[in-house]
Amino acid sequence: GWRVLIAMMVLMRKDVTEEQLEAVVQVIESHGLKALPLPGGERTAVGIPSAIPPDLRPVLDEILSAMPGVDKVVHISRPYKLASRDFHPHDSEVRVGEVRIGAGHFAVMAGPCAVESYEQMLTAARAVKAAGASILRGGAYKPRTSPYAFQGLQREGLEILKVVSQEVGIPTVSEVLDPHDVELVADYVDILQIGARSMQNFPLLVAAGRAGKPVLLKRSPHATIDEWLAAAEYLLTQGNDQIMLCERGIVPIDRTYARNTLDINAVPIIRYHSHLPIIVDPSHGVGHARYVPAVALAAVAAGADGLLIEVHPQPERALSDGAQSLRPDEFAQLMAQIQAVRAALAPFNAK
């Protein structure tokens, strides 16, 4: 609706009065524009959802900025609005059953790249839950570079995920590749993952946004921050506010040592410009298990709201991405280190 077209936001002070708010609305409307008061948590904003003539922008800016009760005037020219802090100043929180992510809540999602068997998923689920993970990951549909590579167990994989989820008592996240599969996958899993290769599959984003489930949106290795947030906007415009962003590495200059270059900059940049929770996937970010713990801890220190980590009971036998998967004992050790980093930073984050 109208929210996507917001052209200017007048952010009001916390102590604004009704009279001051009404005066701002009257000034906007006196220039032939529509004014939309947008009540927020701590403070109200007034949005202008119609196009503003270029010569009127500076005039309005000057008048409104000087009015009592106005904090600042923000011009919105980015390709995303609903994902922006200009529109939604407070951190969003995603809820998955009892699990909370964002707005100060941290969560780790862990498990194998691909669902291979009931026994493999059960072993992995018990191990990651015991170590402190709160969400089980496992791919039933696998987008592979080669058509000859393992493509996933598909519906059978989803059935295994659901059974294991109920047996172990842990919610699940799994990728959906095709708009036509969204309803099916949503019937079996708790969080829909949009993979890096699908970030700009707009029909898929629309279908996932309408499914009524939280969505984890991975960044394409070629995508700018604006393109990534514009993709999130597709999900948000469908009325779904349960969206998480996932940084998983961008195209590297040198592929000799790492699969991708994890863009750690993305964590504070997203936190500054967007209210959506930011998750980091160090497994795809570096592509080698030996480097995953260090990069995971860097993401925690940078302020990530969660991590997505590949853990496999026997990485050497994995049908997909074994080289970057941690063993359960390595994952347990990493979880202890994560707690230590978070505990060390807690007094600073509380301020």
Side-chain angles (χ1 to χ4, degrees):
W2 56 264
R3 294 191 292 182
V4 184
L5 304 172
I6 294 282
M8 184 184 279
M9 295 275 283
V10 185
L11 304 180
M12 311 303 292
R13 295 182 187 276
K14 291 180 184 178
D15 57 358
V16 65
T17 66
E18 282 295 323
E19 290 76 18
Q20 290 169 340
L21 184 64
E22 184 55 36
V24 166
V25 169
Q26 285 177 358
V27 164
I28 293 168
E29 291 180 344
S30 71
H31 286 85
L33 300 168
K34 187 167 181 180
L36 280 162
L38 304 165
E42 287 184 13
R43 62 180 183 181
T44 300
V46 180
I48 303 176
S50 42
I52 304 170
D55 56 336
L56 184 55
R57 273 184 179 266
V59 176
L60 261 185
D61 195 332
E62 189 174 343
I63 295 171
L64 294 169
S65 297
M67 292 184 71
V70 172
D71 182 17
K72 61 179 176 178
V73 176
V74 179
H75 297 269
I76 300 180
S77 57
R78 296 182 182 277
Y80 56 90
K81 311 287 189 287
L82 304 183
S84 167
R85 277 203 191 273
D86 294 337
F87 187 84
H88 187 298
H90 303 287
D91 290 349
S92 285
E93 178 183 294
V94 171
R95 291 175 178 251
V96 189
E98 300 297 307
V99 182
R100 298 161 79 180
I101 307 161
H105 301 282
F106 183 87
V108 175
M109 311 174 191
C113 177
V115 178
E116 297 166 15
S117 69
Y118 166 74
E119 292 75 16
Q120 168 239 18
M121 284 310 298
L122 185 64
T123 305
R126 285 175 172 160
V128 300
K129 186 178 181 183
S134 45
I135 293 168
L136 175 68
R137 67 152 293 155
Y141 294 83
K142 302 305 300 175
R144 307 302 297 279
T145 305
S146 166
Y148 304 113
F150 176 61
Q151 303 291 317
L153 296 180
Q154 302 181 6
R155 185 192 281 264
E156 183 191 348
L158 293 174
E159 290 167 354
I160 290 169
L161 259 183
K162 185 150 192 173
V163 169
V164 169
S165 169
Q166 291 169 340
E167 199 166 326
V168 177
I170 186 169
T172 54
V173 55
S174 194
E175 182 169 354
V176 59
L177 285 172
D178 188 306
H180 301 101
D181 294 331
V182 167
E183 272 188 59
L184 171 69
V185 178
D187 282 343
Y188 286 94
V189 305
D190 300 289
I191 303 170
L192 299 174
Q193 177 181 311
I194 304 293
R197 288 179 173 90
S198 302
M199 188 199 88
Q200 288 184 312
N201 180 342
F202 302 122
L204 176 61
L205 296 176
V206 169
R210 288 178 180 168
K213 287 282 175 86
V215 179
L216 180 70
L217 176 65
K218 287 197 151 192
R219 180 187 184 182
S220 161
H222 300 274
T224 65
I225 297 282
D226 275 3
E227 287 167 343
W228 185 18
L229 287 169
E233 197 80 0
Y234 271 87
L235 296 162
L236 291 163
T237 56
Q238 301 310 308
N240 187 345
D241 62 355
Q242 296 288 285
I243 310 301
M244 295 169 279
L245 300 167
C246 182
E247 162 60 36
R248 44 79 70 211
I250 53 177
V251 176
I253 292 173
D254 181 356
R255 272 213 160 92
T256 309
Y257 299 100
R259 179 175 180 172
N260 295 292
T261 294
L262 189 91
D263 183 11
I264 205 78
N265 300 5
V267 177
I269 289 169
I270 289 293
R271 285 183 64 89
Y272 182 82
H273 290 284
S274 179
H275 53 91
L276 300 175
I278 172 74
I279 310 297
V280 170
D281 173 355
S283 305
H284 285 89
V286 291
H288 297 283
R290 69 174 73 91
Y291 307 131
V292 166
V295 177
L297 294 172
V300 174
D305 295 296
L307 295 168
L308 179 68
I309 299 175
E310 294 194 352
V311 180
H312 196 291
Q314 295 176 295
E316 66 281 357
R317 294 191 179 180
L319 297 180
S320 173
D321 284 350
Q324 66 194 35
S325 300
L326 299 182
R327 297 174 189 279
D329 59 324
E330 294 170 332
F331 177 67
Q333 184 178 351
L334 171 58
M335 287 297 286
Q337 292 174 313
I338 288 167
Q339 293 308 323
V341 170
R342 294 194 69 235
L345 291 173
F348 303 96
N349 292 337
K351 289 176 183 176

Short mmCIF file of all heavy atoms in Angstrom, two decimals, residues 194-234:
data_model
loop_
_atom_site.label_atom_id
_atom_site.label_comp_id
_atom_site.label_asym_id
_atom_site.label_seq_id
_atom_site.Cartn_x
_atom_site.Cartn_y
_atom_site.Cartn_z
N ILE A 194 15.30 -18.20 2.26
CA ILE A 194 15.51 -17.83 0.86
C ILE A 194 17.02 -17.84 0.65
O ILE A 194 17.74 -17.05 1.27
CB ILE A 194 14.94 -16.44 0.54
CG1 ILE A 194 13.45 -16.35 0.91
CG2 ILE A 194 15.17 -16.09 -0.93
CD1 ILE A 194 12.53 -17.21 0.10
N GLY A 195 17.48 -18.73 -0.21
CA GLY A 195 18.92 -18.88 -0.40
C GLY A 195 19.54 -17.73 -1.18
O GLY A 195 18.84 -16.94 -1.83
N ALA A 196 20.87 -17.66 -1.11
CA ALA A 196 21.60 -16.58 -1.78
C ALA A 196 21.31 -16.54 -3.27
O ALA A 196 21.19 -15.47 -3.87
CB ALA A 196 23.10 -16.77 -1.53
N ARG A 197 21.16 -17.72 -3.89
CA ARG A 197 20.89 -17.76 -5.33
C ARG A 197 19.49 -17.27 -5.67
O ARG A 197 19.19 -16.96 -6.81
CB ARG A 197 21.06 -19.19 -5.87
CG ARG A 197 22.50 -19.69 -5.93
CD ARG A 197 22.50 -21.13 -6.45
NE ARG A 197 23.83 -21.65 -6.70
CZ ARG A 197 24.57 -22.28 -5.80
NH1 ARG A 197 24.12 -22.42 -4.57
NH2 ARG A 197 25.77 -22.75 -6.12
N SER A 198 18.61 -17.25 -4.66
CA SER A 198 17.20 -16.89 -4.90
C SER A 198 16.85 -15.50 -4.41
O SER A 198 15.69 -15.10 -4.46
CB SER A 198 16.28 -17.90 -4.19
OG SER A 198 16.54 -19.21 -4.63
N MET A 199 17.84 -14.72 -3.95
CA MET A 199 17.54 -13.44 -3.30
C MET A 199 16.71 -12.51 -4.16
O MET A 199 15.88 -11.76 -3.66
CB MET A 199 18.85 -12.75 -2.90
CG MET A 199 18.65 -11.51 -2.04
SD MET A 199 20.08 -10.41 -2.02
CE MET A 199 19.73 -9.37 -3.45
N GLN A 200 16.90 -12.55 -5.48
CA GLN A 200 16.13 -11.68 -6.36
C GLN A 200 15.13 -12.45 -7.22
O GLN A 200 14.73 -11.99 -8.28
CB GLN A 200 17.07 -10.84 -7.23
CG GLN A 200 17.78 -9.75 -6.42
CD GLN A 200 18.64 -8.84 -7.26
OE1 GLN A 200 19.43 -9.31 -8.07
NE2 GLN A 200 18.50 -7.54 -7.07
N ASN A 201 14.69 -13.61 -6.70
CA ASN A 201 13.59 -14.33 -7.35
C ASN A 201 12.31 -13.72 -6.78
O ASN A 201 11.78 -14.17 -5.76
CB ASN A 201 13.69 -15.83 -7.03
CG ASN A 201 12.57 -16.64 -7.66
OD1 ASN A 201 11.54 -16.10 -8.06
ND2 ASN A 201 12.75 -17.94 -7.74
N PHE A 202 11.84 -12.67 -7.43
CA PHE A 202 10.77 -11.87 -6.84
C PHE A 202 9.45 -12.62 -6.66
O PHE A 202 8.78 -12.45 -5.64
CB PHE A 202 10.60 -10.57 -7.63
CG PHE A 202 11.88 -9.76 -7.67
CD1 PHE A 202 12.47 -9.41 -8.87
CD2 PHE A 202 12.51 -9.39 -6.49
CE1 PHE A 202 13.66 -8.69 -8.90
CE2 PHE A 202 13.70 -8.67 -6.50
CZ PHE A 202 14.28 -8.33 -7.71
N PRO A 203 9.03 -13.49 -7.59
CA PRO A 203 7.83 -14.28 -7.33
C PRO A 203 7.97 -15.17 -6.08
O PRO A 203 7.01 -15.35 -5.34
CB PRO A 203 7.67 -15.13 -8.61
CG PRO A 203 8.39 -14.36 -9.67
CD PRO A 203 9.54 -13.71 -8.98
N LEU A 204 9.18 -15.69 -5.85
CA LEU A 204 9.43 -16.50 -4.66
C LEU A 204 9.33 -15.64 -3.40
O LEU A 204 8.74 -16.05 -2.39
CB LEU A 204 10.81 -17.16 -4.74
CG LEU A 204 11.27 -17.96 -3.52
CD1 LEU A 204 10.31 -19.12 -3.24
CD2 LEU A 204 12.69 -18.47 -3.71
N LEU A 205 9.88 -14.43 -3.45
CA LEU A 205 9.81 -13.53 -2.29
C LEU A 205 8.36 -13.18 -1.95
O LEU A 205 7.97 -13.18 -0.78
CB LEU A 205 10.61 -12.25 -2.57
CG LEU A 205 12.12 -12.41 -2.77
CD1 LEU A 205 12.75 -11.07 -3.12
CD2 LEU A 205 12.78 -12.99 -1.53
N VAL A 206 7.57 -12.90 -2.96
CA VAL A 206 6.16 -12.56 -2.74
C VAL A 206 5.43 -13.76 -2.11
O VAL A 206 4.70 -13.61 -1.12
CB VAL A 206 5.48 -12.13 -4.06
CG1 VAL A 206 3.97 -12.03 -3.88
CG2 VAL A 206 6.05 -10.80 -4.53
N ALA A 207 5.65 -14.95 -2.67
CA ALA A 207 4.99 -16.15 -2.13
C ALA A 207 5.42 -16.43 -0.70
O ALA A 207 4.61 -16.76 0.17
CB ALA A 207 5.30 -17.36 -3.03
N ALA A 208 6.72 -16.28 -0.42
CA ALA A 208 7.24 -16.53 0.94
C ALA A 208 6.70 -15.48 1.91
O ALA A 208 6.35 -15.81 3.06
CB ALA A 208 8.77 -16.51 0.93
N GLY A 209 6.61 -14.24 1.46
CA GLY A 209 6.07 -13.19 2.32
C GLY A 209 4.63 -13.43 2.71
O GLY A 209 4.21 -13.06 3.81
N ARG A 210 3.89 -14.08 1.83
CA ARG A 210 2.46 -14.33 2.10
C ARG A 210 2.21 -15.59 2.92
O ARG A 210 1.08 -15.84 3.33
CB ARG A 210 1.71 -14.48 0.76
CG ARG A 210 1.56 -13.18 0.00
CD ARG A 210 0.87 -13.40 -1.33
NE ARG A 210 0.73 -12.15 -2.06
CZ ARG A 210 0.37 -12.05 -3.33
NH1 ARG A 210 0.12 -13.15 -4.03
NH2 ARG A 210 0.28 -10.87 -3.91
N ALA A 211 3.25 -16.39 3.14
CA ALA A 211 3.06 -17.73 3.74
C ALA A 211 2.76 -17.68 5.24
O ALA A 211 2.36 -18.68 5.81
CB ALA A 211 4.28 -18.60 3.47
N GLY A 212 3.00 -16.52 5.86
CA GLY A 212 2.69 -16.41 7.29
C GLY A 212 3.72 -17.04 8.20
O GLY A 212 3.44 -17.31 9.37
N LYS A 213 4.92 -17.31 7.68
CA LYS A 213 6.00 -17.88 8.49
C LYS A 213 7.17 -16.90 8.51
O LYS A 213 7.37 -16.15 7.55
CB LYS A 213 6.48 -19.21 7.87
CG LYS A 213 5.51 -20.39 8.04
CD LYS A 213 5.61 -20.95 9.46
CE LYS A 213 4.59 -22.04 9.72
NZ LYS A 213 5.03 -23.37 9.32
N PRO A 214 7.99 -16.93 9.58
CA PRO A 214 9.22 -16.13 9.55
C PRO A 214 10.08 -16.52 8.35
O PRO A 214 10.06 -17.68 7.92
CB PRO A 214 9.91 -16.50 10.87
CG PRO A 214 8.82 -16.98 11.76
CD PRO A 214 7.83 -17.65 10.84
N VAL A 215 10.81 -15.55 7.82
CA VAL A 215 11.66 -15.78 6.65
C VAL A 215 13.08 -15.34 6.94
O VAL A 215 13.30 -14.25 7.50
CB VAL A 215 11.13 -15.02 5.41
CG1 VAL A 215 12.03 -15.27 4.20
CG2 VAL A 215 9.69 -15.43 5.08
N LEU A 216 14.04 -16.19 6.56
CA LEU A 216 15.46 -15.87 6.66
C LEU A 216 15.95 -15.59 5.23
O LEU A 216 15.97 -16.50 4.40
CB LEU A 216 16.24 -17.04 7.26
CG LEU A 216 17.75 -16.85 7.43
CD1 LEU A 216 18.04 -15.85 8.54
CD2 LEU A 216 18.41 -18.18 7.75
N LEU A 217 16.31 -14.33 4.96
CA LEU A 217 16.69 -13.92 3.61
C LEU A 217 18.21 -13.81 3.50
O LEU A 217 18.82 -12.91 4.08
CB LEU A 217 16.05 -12.57 3.28
CG LEU A 217 16.42 -11.96 1.93
CD1 LEU A 217 15.91 -12.81 0.77
CD2 LEU A 217 15.88 -10.53 1.82
N LYS A 218 18.80 -14.71 2.73
CA LYS A 218 20.25 -14.70 2.54
C LYS A 218 20.64 -13.68 1.47
O LYS A 218 19.91 -13.46 0.50
CB LYS A 218 20.75 -16.09 2.16
CG LYS A 218 20.73 -17.07 3.32
CD LYS A 218 21.59 -18.27 3.02
CE LYS A 218 22.16 -18.86 4.29
NZ LYS A 218 23.20 -19.85 3.99
N ARG A 219 21.81 -13.10 1.67
CA ARG A 219 22.33 -12.12 0.73
C ARG A 219 23.04 -12.83 -0.43
O ARG A 219 23.85 -13.73 -0.21
CB ARG A 219 23.33 -11.21 1.44
CG ARG A 219 23.97 -10.14 0.58
CD ARG A 219 25.04 -9.42 1.36
NE ARG A 219 25.63 -8.32 0.59
CZ ARG A 219 26.62 -7.55 1.02
NH1 ARG A 219 27.15 -7.79 2.23
NH2 ARG A 219 27.10 -6.59 0.28
N SER A 220 22.74 -12.42 -1.63
CA SER A 220 23.47 -12.95 -2.79
C SER A 220 24.93 -12.50 -2.69
O SER A 220 25.21 -11.38 -2.24
CB SER A 220 22.85 -12.41 -4.08
OG SER A 220 23.77 -12.53 -5.15
N PRO A 221 25.87 -13.35 -3.12
CA PRO A 221 27.28 -12.95 -3.05
C PRO A 221 27.62 -11.75 -3.94
O PRO A 221 28.67 -11.14 -3.77
CB PRO A 221 28.05 -14.20 -3.50
CG PRO A 221 27.04 -15.05 -4.19
CD PRO A 221 25.72 -14.73 -3.59
N HIS A 222 26.72 -11.40 -4.85
CA HIS A 222 26.95 -10.26 -5.75
C HIS A 222 26.12 -9.04 -5.35
O HIS A 222 26.19 -8.01 -6.03
CB HIS A 222 26.57 -10.65 -7.20
CG HIS A 222 27.36 -11.80 -7.73
ND1 HIS A 222 28.59 -11.65 -8.34
CD2 HIS A 222 27.10 -13.13 -7.74
CE1 HIS A 222 29.05 -12.84 -8.69
NE2 HIS A 222 28.16 -13.76 -8.34
N ALA A 223 25.33 -9.13 -4.30
CA ALA A 223 24.36 -8.08 -3.99
C ALA A 223 24.94 -6.95 -3.15
O ALA A 223 25.70 -7.18 -2.21
CB ALA A 223 23.15 -8.67 -3.27
N THR A 224 24.53 -5.74 -3.47
CA THR A 224 24.83 -4.59 -2.61
C THR A 224 23.89 -4.63 -1.41
O THR A 224 22.88 -5.35 -1.41
CB THR A 224 24.61 -3.26 -3.36
OG1 THR A 224 23.20 -3.14 -3.66
CG2 THR A 224 25.43 -3.19 -4.64
N ILE A 225 24.19 -3.81 -0.40
CA ILE A 225 23.31 -3.70 0.78
C ILE A 225 21.92 -3.23 0.35
O ILE A 225 20.90 -3.77 0.79
CB ILE A 225 23.92 -2.72 1.81
CG1 ILE A 225 25.26 -3.24 2.34
CG2 ILE A 225 22.92 -2.46 2.94
CD1 ILE A 225 25.22 -4.31 3.39
N ASP A 226 21.87 -2.23 -0.54
CA ASP A 226 20.56 -1.71 -0.99
C ASP A 226 19.75 -2.77 -1.73
O ASP A 226 18.53 -2.86 -1.55
CB ASP A 226 20.76 -0.48 -1.90
CG ASP A 226 20.91 0.81 -1.10
OD1 ASP A 226 20.93 0.75 0.14
OD2 ASP A 226 21.01 1.88 -1.73
N GLU A 227 20.41 -3.57 -2.56
CA GLU A 227 19.69 -4.63 -3.28
C GLU A 227 19.16 -5.68 -2.31
O GLU A 227 18.04 -6.19 -2.48
CB GLU A 227 20.64 -5.29 -4.30
CG GLU A 227 20.92 -4.42 -5.50
CD GLU A 227 22.08 -4.91 -6.35
OE1 GLU A 227 22.88 -5.75 -5.87
OE2 GLU A 227 22.19 -4.47 -7.50
N TRP A 228 19.92 -6.00 -1.30
CA TRP A 228 19.52 -6.97 -0.28
C TRP A 228 18.31 -6.46 0.51
O TRP A 228 17.32 -7.17 0.69
CB TRP A 228 20.73 -7.19 0.62
CG TRP A 228 20.67 -8.21 1.68
CD1 TRP A 228 19.80 -9.26 1.81
CD2 TRP A 228 21.56 -8.32 2.80
NE1 TRP A 228 20.10 -9.99 2.93
CE2 TRP A 228 21.18 -9.43 3.54
CE3 TRP A 228 22.66 -7.56 3.21
CZ2 TRP A 228 21.85 -9.82 4.71
CZ3 TRP A 228 23.33 -7.95 4.37
CH2 TRP A 228 22.93 -9.06 5.10
N LEU A 229 18.37 -5.20 0.92
CA LEU A 229 17.25 -4.62 1.67
C LEU A 229 16.03 -4.43 0.79
O LEU A 229 14.89 -4.54 1.26
CB LEU A 229 17.67 -3.31 2.33
CG LEU A 229 18.61 -3.47 3.52
CD1 LEU A 229 19.20 -2.14 3.96
CD2 LEU A 229 17.89 -4.13 4.70
N ALA A 230 16.24 -4.16 -0.50
CA ALA A 230 15.10 -4.06 -1.42
C ALA A 230 14.42 -5.42 -1.57
O ALA A 230 13.19 -5.50 -1.71
CB ALA A 230 15.56 -3.52 -2.78
N ALA A 231 15.22 -6.49 -1.53
CA ALA A 231 14.63 -7.84 -1.57
C ALA A 231 13.81 -8.09 -0.32
O ALA A 231 12.71 -8.67 -0.38
CB ALA A 231 15.73 -8.89 -1.72
N ALA A 232 14.32 -7.64 0.84
CA ALA A 232 13.56 -7.77 2.09
C ALA A 232 12.25 -6.99 2.00
O ALA A 232 11.22 -7.40 2.56
CB ALA A 232 14.39 -7.26 3.27
N GLU A 233 12.28 -5.88 1.27
CA GLU A 233 11.08 -5.05 1.12
C GLU A 233 9.95 -5.84 0.44
O GLU A 233 8.78 -5.66 0.77
CB GLU A 233 11.44 -3.82 0.29
CG GLU A 233 10.45 -2.69 0.38
CD GLU A 233 10.60 -1.86 1.65
OE1 GLU A 233 11.48 -2.14 2.48
OE2 GLU A 233 9.81 -0.92 1.81
N TYR A 234 10.30 -6.71 -0.50
CA TYR A 234 9.29 -7.55 -1.15
C TYR A 234 8.55 -8.40 -0.12
O TYR A 234 7.34 -8.60 -0.20
CB TYR A 234 9.94 -8.47 -2.19
CG TYR A 234 10.05 -7.88 -3.57
CD1 TYR A 234 11.14 -7.09 -3.90
CD2 TYR A 234 9.07 -8.09 -4.52
CE1 TYR A 234 11.25 -6.54 -5.18
CE2 TYR A 234 9.17 -7.54 -5.80
CZ TYR A 234 10.27 -6.76 -6.11
OH TYR A 234 10.37 -6.22 -7.36
#
